[in-house]
Short mmCIF file of all heavy atoms in Angstrom, two decimals:
data_model
loop_
_atom_site.label_atom_id
_atom_site.label_comp_id
_atom_site.label_asym_id
_atom_site.label_seq_id
_atom_site.Cartn_x
_atom_site.Cartn_y
_atom_site.Cartn_z
N VAL A 1 1.17 -10.07 -23.42
CA VAL A 1 1.98 -9.64 -22.27
C VAL A 1 1.60 -8.22 -21.87
O VAL A 1 1.43 -7.91 -20.68
CB VAL A 1 3.48 -9.72 -22.60
CG1 VAL A 1 4.32 -9.22 -21.43
CG2 VAL A 1 3.87 -11.15 -22.96
N LEU A 2 1.45 -7.34 -22.86
CA LEU A 2 1.10 -5.96 -22.57
C LEU A 2 -0.31 -5.86 -22.00
O LEU A 2 -0.58 -5.02 -21.14
CB LEU A 2 1.22 -5.12 -23.84
CG LEU A 2 2.64 -4.94 -24.39
CD1 LEU A 2 2.62 -4.16 -25.71
CD2 LEU A 2 3.53 -4.24 -23.38
N SER A 3 -1.22 -6.72 -22.49
CA SER A 3 -2.59 -6.72 -21.95
C SER A 3 -2.57 -7.11 -20.48
O SER A 3 -3.29 -6.52 -19.65
CB SER A 3 -3.47 -7.67 -22.74
OG SER A 3 -3.62 -7.25 -24.07
N VAL A 4 -1.77 -8.12 -20.13
CA VAL A 4 -1.63 -8.51 -18.73
C VAL A 4 -1.04 -7.36 -17.93
O VAL A 4 -1.44 -7.09 -16.79
CB VAL A 4 -0.73 -9.76 -18.61
CG1 VAL A 4 -0.37 -10.03 -17.16
CG2 VAL A 4 -1.43 -10.97 -19.21
N PHE A 5 -0.10 -6.63 -18.56
CA PHE A 5 0.61 -5.58 -17.84
C PHE A 5 -0.33 -4.46 -17.41
O PHE A 5 -0.35 -4.06 -16.25
CB PHE A 5 1.74 -5.02 -18.72
CG PHE A 5 2.80 -4.31 -17.95
CD1 PHE A 5 3.86 -5.01 -17.40
CD2 PHE A 5 2.74 -2.95 -17.75
CE1 PHE A 5 4.84 -4.37 -16.66
CE2 PHE A 5 3.71 -2.28 -17.02
CZ PHE A 5 4.77 -2.99 -16.48
N TYR A 6 -1.14 -3.94 -18.37
CA TYR A 6 -1.94 -2.77 -17.99
C TYR A 6 -3.27 -3.12 -17.34
O TYR A 6 -3.94 -2.24 -16.80
CB TYR A 6 -2.15 -1.82 -19.18
CG TYR A 6 -3.17 -2.20 -20.21
CD1 TYR A 6 -4.51 -1.90 -20.05
CD2 TYR A 6 -2.79 -2.83 -21.40
CE1 TYR A 6 -5.45 -2.23 -21.01
CE2 TYR A 6 -3.72 -3.17 -22.36
CZ TYR A 6 -5.05 -2.86 -22.16
OH TYR A 6 -5.97 -3.20 -23.11
N THR A 7 -3.66 -4.41 -17.34
CA THR A 7 -4.88 -4.79 -16.63
C THR A 7 -4.60 -5.42 -15.27
O THR A 7 -5.48 -5.44 -14.41
CB THR A 7 -5.71 -5.80 -17.45
OG1 THR A 7 -4.91 -6.95 -17.75
CG2 THR A 7 -6.19 -5.16 -18.74
N ILE A 8 -3.38 -5.94 -15.06
CA ILE A 8 -3.06 -6.61 -13.80
C ILE A 8 -1.89 -5.96 -13.08
O ILE A 8 -1.99 -5.59 -11.91
CB ILE A 8 -2.77 -8.11 -14.05
CG1 ILE A 8 -4.01 -8.81 -14.62
CG2 ILE A 8 -2.31 -8.79 -12.77
CD1 ILE A 8 -3.79 -10.25 -15.00
N PHE A 9 -0.75 -5.81 -13.78
CA PHE A 9 0.45 -5.34 -13.10
C PHE A 9 0.40 -3.85 -12.76
O PHE A 9 0.81 -3.45 -11.66
CB PHE A 9 1.69 -5.64 -13.95
CG PHE A 9 2.06 -7.08 -13.96
CD1 PHE A 9 2.06 -7.80 -15.14
CD2 PHE A 9 2.41 -7.74 -12.79
CE1 PHE A 9 2.40 -9.14 -15.15
CE2 PHE A 9 2.74 -9.08 -12.79
CZ PHE A 9 2.74 -9.79 -13.98
N THR A 10 -0.09 -3.01 -13.68
CA THR A 10 -0.13 -1.58 -13.40
C THR A 10 -1.02 -1.25 -12.20
O THR A 10 -0.60 -0.50 -11.32
CB THR A 10 -0.60 -0.80 -14.65
OG1 THR A 10 0.32 -1.05 -15.72
CG2 THR A 10 -0.64 0.69 -14.37
N PRO A 11 -2.25 -1.78 -12.10
CA PRO A 11 -3.05 -1.52 -10.88
C PRO A 11 -2.39 -2.05 -9.61
O PRO A 11 -2.62 -1.51 -8.53
CB PRO A 11 -4.37 -2.26 -11.16
CG PRO A 11 -4.46 -2.32 -12.64
CD PRO A 11 -3.05 -2.52 -13.11
N LEU A 12 -1.56 -3.11 -9.74
CA LEU A 12 -0.85 -3.63 -8.57
C LEU A 12 0.32 -2.74 -8.18
O LEU A 12 0.56 -2.49 -6.98
CB LEU A 12 -0.34 -5.05 -8.87
CG LEU A 12 0.64 -5.66 -7.85
CD1 LEU A 12 -0.06 -5.88 -6.52
CD2 LEU A 12 1.21 -6.96 -8.38
N LEU A 13 1.05 -2.24 -9.17
CA LEU A 13 2.25 -1.46 -8.90
C LEU A 13 1.94 -0.04 -8.45
O LEU A 13 2.76 0.58 -7.76
CB LEU A 13 3.15 -1.43 -10.15
CG LEU A 13 3.76 -2.78 -10.55
CD1 LEU A 13 4.53 -2.63 -11.85
CD2 LEU A 13 4.68 -3.30 -9.45
N ASN A 14 0.80 0.51 -8.85
CA ASN A 14 0.47 1.88 -8.47
C ASN A 14 0.53 2.12 -6.96
O ASN A 14 1.20 3.05 -6.50
CB ASN A 14 -0.91 2.26 -9.01
CG ASN A 14 -0.86 2.66 -10.47
OD1 ASN A 14 0.21 2.72 -11.07
ND2 ASN A 14 -2.00 2.93 -11.05
N PRO A 15 -0.16 1.31 -6.14
CA PRO A 15 -0.07 1.55 -4.69
C PRO A 15 1.34 1.34 -4.15
O PRO A 15 1.76 2.05 -3.22
CB PRO A 15 -1.06 0.55 -4.09
CG PRO A 15 -1.24 -0.50 -5.13
CD PRO A 15 -1.09 0.20 -6.44
N LEU A 16 2.08 0.38 -4.71
CA LEU A 16 3.45 0.15 -4.25
C LEU A 16 4.34 1.35 -4.55
O LEU A 16 5.13 1.78 -3.71
CB LEU A 16 4.03 -1.11 -4.92
CG LEU A 16 3.35 -2.43 -4.59
CD1 LEU A 16 3.99 -3.57 -5.36
CD2 LEU A 16 3.42 -2.70 -3.10
N ILE A 17 4.20 1.91 -5.75
CA ILE A 17 5.01 3.06 -6.13
C ILE A 17 4.70 4.26 -5.26
O ILE A 17 5.59 4.94 -4.74
CB ILE A 17 4.79 3.40 -7.62
CG1 ILE A 17 5.43 2.33 -8.51
CG2 ILE A 17 5.38 4.77 -7.96
CD1 ILE A 17 5.10 2.48 -9.97
N TYR A 18 3.42 4.53 -5.05
CA TYR A 18 3.04 5.71 -4.28
C TYR A 18 3.39 5.56 -2.80
O TYR A 18 3.76 6.53 -2.14
CB TYR A 18 1.56 6.00 -4.45
CG TYR A 18 1.26 6.73 -5.73
CD1 TYR A 18 0.61 6.09 -6.79
CD2 TYR A 18 1.64 8.05 -5.91
CE1 TYR A 18 0.35 6.75 -7.97
CE2 TYR A 18 1.38 8.73 -7.09
CZ TYR A 18 0.73 8.07 -8.11
OH TYR A 18 0.49 8.72 -9.28
N THR A 19 3.27 4.37 -2.25
CA THR A 19 3.58 4.19 -0.83
C THR A 19 5.09 4.14 -0.59
O THR A 19 5.57 4.62 0.44
CB THR A 19 2.93 2.91 -0.28
OG1 THR A 19 3.30 1.80 -1.11
CG2 THR A 19 1.44 3.03 -0.24
N LEU A 20 5.84 3.57 -1.53
CA LEU A 20 7.28 3.46 -1.34
C LEU A 20 8.01 4.77 -1.63
O LEU A 20 9.05 5.04 -1.05
CB LEU A 20 7.85 2.34 -2.23
CG LEU A 20 7.43 0.92 -1.86
CD1 LEU A 20 8.00 -0.07 -2.86
CD2 LEU A 20 7.90 0.58 -0.45
N ARG A 21 7.48 5.59 -2.53
CA ARG A 21 8.17 6.82 -2.92
C ARG A 21 7.54 8.07 -2.31
O ARG A 21 8.06 9.16 -2.51
CB ARG A 21 8.19 6.95 -4.45
CG ARG A 21 8.98 5.85 -5.15
CD ARG A 21 9.21 6.22 -6.59
NE ARG A 21 9.96 7.45 -6.72
CZ ARG A 21 11.28 7.53 -6.72
NH1 ARG A 21 12.00 6.44 -6.56
NH2 ARG A 21 11.89 8.68 -6.86
N ASN A 22 6.45 7.93 -1.59
CA ASN A 22 5.80 9.07 -0.96
C ASN A 22 5.81 8.87 0.55
O ASN A 22 5.12 8.00 1.08
CB ASN A 22 4.37 9.22 -1.48
CG ASN A 22 3.74 10.52 -1.05
OD1 ASN A 22 3.59 10.77 0.14
ND2 ASN A 22 3.36 11.35 -2.01
N GLN A 23 6.62 9.68 1.24
CA GLN A 23 6.81 9.48 2.67
C GLN A 23 5.53 9.72 3.46
O GLN A 23 5.25 9.01 4.44
CB GLN A 23 7.91 10.43 3.17
CG GLN A 23 8.35 10.15 4.60
CD GLN A 23 8.92 8.76 4.77
OE1 GLN A 23 9.67 8.27 3.93
NE2 GLN A 23 8.57 8.10 5.87
N GLU A 24 4.73 10.71 3.06
CA GLU A 24 3.49 11.01 3.78
C GLU A 24 2.52 9.84 3.73
O GLU A 24 1.95 9.44 4.75
CB GLU A 24 2.84 12.27 3.22
CG GLU A 24 3.47 13.57 3.67
CD GLU A 24 2.70 14.77 3.19
OE1 GLU A 24 2.57 14.93 1.96
OE2 GLU A 24 2.23 15.55 4.02
N VAL A 25 2.33 9.29 2.52
CA VAL A 25 1.42 8.15 2.38
C VAL A 25 1.97 6.94 3.12
O VAL A 25 1.23 6.22 3.81
CB VAL A 25 1.20 7.82 0.89
CG1 VAL A 25 0.32 6.58 0.74
CG2 VAL A 25 0.56 9.00 0.18
N LYS A 26 3.27 6.71 2.99
CA LYS A 26 3.88 5.55 3.64
C LYS A 26 3.73 5.64 5.16
O LYS A 26 3.38 4.66 5.82
CB LYS A 26 5.36 5.45 3.26
CG LYS A 26 6.07 4.25 3.83
CD LYS A 26 7.38 3.97 3.10
CE LYS A 26 8.32 5.14 3.17
NZ LYS A 26 9.63 4.82 2.57
N THR A 27 3.98 6.83 5.72
CA THR A 27 3.84 7.02 7.16
C THR A 27 2.40 6.83 7.62
O THR A 27 2.13 6.17 8.64
CB THR A 27 4.33 8.42 7.56
OG1 THR A 27 5.68 8.59 7.13
CG2 THR A 27 4.23 8.63 9.06
N ALA A 28 1.46 7.40 6.85
CA ALA A 28 0.04 7.27 7.21
C ALA A 28 -0.42 5.82 7.14
O ALA A 28 -1.18 5.35 8.00
CB ALA A 28 -0.81 8.15 6.29
N VAL A 29 0.03 5.09 6.11
CA VAL A 29 -0.34 3.67 5.98
C VAL A 29 0.22 2.86 7.15
O VAL A 29 -0.48 2.01 7.73
CB VAL A 29 0.16 3.11 4.64
CG1 VAL A 29 0.05 1.58 4.61
CG2 VAL A 29 -0.63 3.69 3.48
N MET A 30 1.49 3.11 7.51
CA MET A 30 2.10 2.36 8.60
C MET A 30 1.40 2.66 9.93
O MET A 30 1.19 1.76 10.75
CB MET A 30 3.59 2.73 8.71
CG MET A 30 4.42 2.26 7.53
SD MET A 30 4.29 0.48 7.22
CE MET A 30 5.02 -0.16 8.73
N LYS A 31 1.01 3.93 10.14
CA LYS A 31 0.29 4.28 11.36
C LYS A 31 -1.07 3.58 11.42
O LYS A 31 -1.49 3.08 12.46
CB LYS A 31 0.10 5.79 11.45
CG LYS A 31 1.35 6.56 11.84
CD LYS A 31 1.06 8.04 11.96
CE LYS A 31 2.31 8.80 12.40
NZ LYS A 31 2.06 10.25 12.52
N LYS A 32 -1.74 3.54 10.26
CA LYS A 32 -3.06 2.90 10.22
C LYS A 32 -2.94 1.40 10.49
O LYS A 32 -3.74 0.83 11.25
CB LYS A 32 -3.73 3.14 8.86
CG LYS A 32 -5.17 2.64 8.80
CD LYS A 32 -5.85 3.10 7.53
CE LYS A 32 -7.31 2.68 7.53
NZ LYS A 32 -8.07 3.32 8.61
N LEU A 33 -1.92 0.77 9.90
CA LEU A 33 -1.73 -0.66 10.11
C LEU A 33 -1.34 -0.95 11.56
O LEU A 33 -1.79 -1.93 12.15
CB LEU A 33 -0.65 -1.18 9.15
CG LEU A 33 -1.03 -1.24 7.67
CD1 LEU A 33 0.15 -1.68 6.83
CD2 LEU A 33 -2.21 -2.17 7.45
N SER A 34 -0.48 -0.09 12.14
CA SER A 34 -0.06 -0.31 13.53
C SER A 34 -1.23 -0.12 14.48
O SER A 34 -1.37 -0.86 15.47
CB SER A 34 1.08 0.64 13.89
OG SER A 34 0.66 2.00 13.80
N ARG A 35 -2.11 0.86 14.20
CA ARG A 35 -3.28 1.06 15.05
C ARG A 35 -4.21 -0.14 14.98
O ARG A 35 -4.77 -0.58 15.98
CB ARG A 35 -4.02 2.34 14.65
CG ARG A 35 -3.36 3.61 15.15
CD ARG A 35 -4.36 4.77 15.12
NE ARG A 35 -4.88 5.01 13.79
CZ ARG A 35 -4.37 5.90 12.95
NH1 ARG A 35 -3.31 6.62 13.31
NH2 ARG A 35 -4.90 6.07 11.76
N GLN A 36 -4.39 -0.67 13.75
CA GLN A 36 -5.25 -1.85 13.60
C GLN A 36 -4.66 -3.05 14.33
O GLN A 36 -5.36 -3.83 14.96
CB GLN A 36 -5.43 -2.18 12.11
CG GLN A 36 -6.26 -1.17 11.35
CD GLN A 36 -7.70 -1.15 11.82
OE1 GLN A 36 -8.28 -2.16 12.14
NE2 GLN A 36 -8.29 0.04 11.86
N TYR A 37 -3.33 -3.17 14.28
CA TYR A 37 -2.66 -4.29 14.95
C TYR A 37 -2.81 -4.18 16.46
O TYR A 37 -3.12 -5.16 17.16
CB TYR A 37 -1.18 -4.32 14.57
CG TYR A 37 -0.39 -5.36 15.31
CD1 TYR A 37 -0.45 -6.70 14.97
CD2 TYR A 37 0.44 -4.98 16.38
CE1 TYR A 37 0.27 -7.66 15.66
CE2 TYR A 37 1.17 -5.93 17.08
CZ TYR A 37 1.08 -7.26 16.71
OH TYR A 37 1.80 -8.20 17.40
N LEU A 38 -2.60 -2.94 16.98
CA LEU A 38 -2.73 -2.74 18.42
C LEU A 38 -4.17 -2.95 18.88
O LEU A 38 -4.44 -3.48 19.94
CB LEU A 38 -2.25 -1.33 18.80
CG LEU A 38 -0.75 -1.08 18.67
CD1 LEU A 38 -0.43 0.38 18.93
CD2 LEU A 38 0.03 -1.98 19.63
N TYR A 39 -5.13 -2.51 18.03
CA TYR A 39 -6.55 -2.65 18.37
C TYR A 39 -6.94 -4.12 18.49
O TYR A 39 -7.60 -4.53 19.44
CB TYR A 39 -7.42 -1.95 17.32
CG TYR A 39 -8.89 -2.15 17.53
CD1 TYR A 39 -9.58 -1.42 18.49
CD2 TYR A 39 -9.61 -3.08 16.76
CE1 TYR A 39 -10.94 -1.60 18.70
CE2 TYR A 39 -10.96 -3.27 16.95
CZ TYR A 39 -11.62 -2.52 17.92
OH TYR A 39 -12.96 -2.72 18.12
N HIS A 40 -6.51 -4.91 17.49
CA HIS A 40 -6.88 -6.33 17.51
C HIS A 40 -6.02 -7.12 18.48
O HIS A 40 -6.40 -8.21 18.92
CB HIS A 40 -6.75 -6.93 16.11
CG HIS A 40 -7.79 -6.41 15.16
ND1 HIS A 40 -9.12 -6.71 15.27
CD2 HIS A 40 -7.68 -5.59 14.08
CE1 HIS A 40 -9.80 -6.12 14.32
NE2 HIS A 40 -8.95 -5.43 13.59
N GLY A 41 -4.82 -6.58 18.79
CA GLY A 41 -3.93 -7.32 19.69
C GLY A 41 -4.21 -7.04 21.14
O GLY A 41 -3.74 -7.77 22.02
N THR A 42 -4.97 -5.98 21.43
CA THR A 42 -5.28 -5.64 22.81
C THR A 42 -6.50 -6.42 23.28
O THR A 42 -7.53 -6.42 22.63
CB THR A 42 -5.55 -4.14 22.96
OG1 THR A 42 -4.42 -3.43 22.46
CG2 THR A 42 -5.79 -3.77 24.41
N THR A 43 -6.39 -7.09 24.40
CA THR A 43 -7.51 -7.86 24.94
C THR A 43 -8.12 -7.10 26.11
O THR A 43 -7.41 -6.54 26.94
CB THR A 43 -7.05 -9.24 25.42
OG1 THR A 43 -6.03 -9.07 26.40
CG2 THR A 43 -6.53 -10.05 24.25
#
């Protein structure tokens, strides 16, 4: 269980923790995703 945790779950949770608890990263990620959405959604 611990082997699964530090090889699979920890690398997965790191970006979630940093984006959810860090407003600057969260805002920058949302802006990047919205720009990509607008870019692909614009014809």
Side-chain angles (χ1 to χ4, degrees):
V1 178
L2 293 176
S3 296
V4 170
F5 200 86
Y6 77 85
T7 57
I8 297 175
F9 287 118
T10 300
L12 169 66
L13 293 176
N14 279 356
L16 296 178
I17 289 172
Y18 279 108
T19 53
L20 292 177
R21 296 192 61 87
N22 190 300
Q23 189 61 40
E24 282 186 300
V25 176
K26 183 163 59 175
T27 303
V29 168
M30 293 305 295
K31 284 183 178 179
K32 186 171 184 64
L33 290 176
S34 63
R35 282 199 301 265
Q36 291 294 323
Y37 174 77
L38 291 174
Y39 174 78
H40 290 291
T42 304
T43 58

